[in-house]
Amino acid sequence: MVSPISNDAVGFAPLAPPTVWQGWDAFVHRAPAPARDAADPAWSQAEREDYHSELAVMRTPAMDSVFTAVRRLLLVNRRQQAGARRGLIISGPATTGKTTTMMALGRSFQLADARQHPGQDDRRPVLFISVPPAATPKMLVSEFARFLGMPVTDRLNQTQITSAVCDTV
């Protein structure tokens, strides 16, 4: 059974992974730490270590090409029927930035959606999940359920989980 993270985790991003909606919201809305003078005596060692451990993400040409490809797909798919939509597969060796690129893309998309729909904080335009390469369809839909904070037991079959996820989304 998968249990949701409590709402208390929203304020403390390190405990809420981006693969649950509270962690995703914390990631999307977290402002980057402001740069400070290294010689500032008011800057404690702990603050300095926290600042450097944030690992700021830099936009790369590869990220830009993925962003452009996704924007084109959104335009092409805008008026297509459900079964005829085109997709995009992002693949490559480990540690080449696939997850980082998808997180940056999702963050960008969600912030743009929030600007288009002000005051609608309950919208979930992005669901971020992480699935191993050998995942089954049931594992995939179970990760969507986990992101949404829905309990999943071994007794539920793929169709039941899919229906619950679709009803929630």
Side-chain angles (χ1 to χ4, degrees), residues 24 27 57-75 88 90 97-112 115:
W24 179 255
F27 167 74
V57 175
M58 307 287 290
R59 288 275 297 256
T60 64
M63 287 175 98
D64 287 338
S65 68
V66 169
F67 279 40
T68 300
V70 169
R71 281 190 199 100
R72 285 183 183 146
L73 280 171
L74 288 171
L75 288 172
L88 179 70
I90 307 294
K98 297 178 299 295
T99 300
T100 301
T101 298
M102 291 296 99
M103 287 178 68
L105 177 66
R107 182 177 190 273
S108 172
F109 185 85
Q110 184 154 336
L111 290 173
R115 284 190 299 273

Side-chain angles (χ1 to χ4, degrees), residues 12-67:
F12 192 68
L15 293 180
T19 54
V20 295
W21 70 266
Q22 298 95 332
W24 179 255
D25 278 352
F27 167 74
V28 168
H29 298 294
R30 185 174 182 202
R36 293 175 66 177
D37 183 7
D40 183 357
W43 202 11
S44 71
Q45 184 65 26
E47 289 173 321
R48 185 176 285 114
E49 289 169 354
D50 284 346
Y51 174 80
H52 288 291
S53 69
E54 266 195 55
L55 299 175
V57 175
M58 307 287 290
R59 288 275 297 256
T60 64
M63 287 175 98
D64 287 338
S65 68
V66 169
F67 279 40

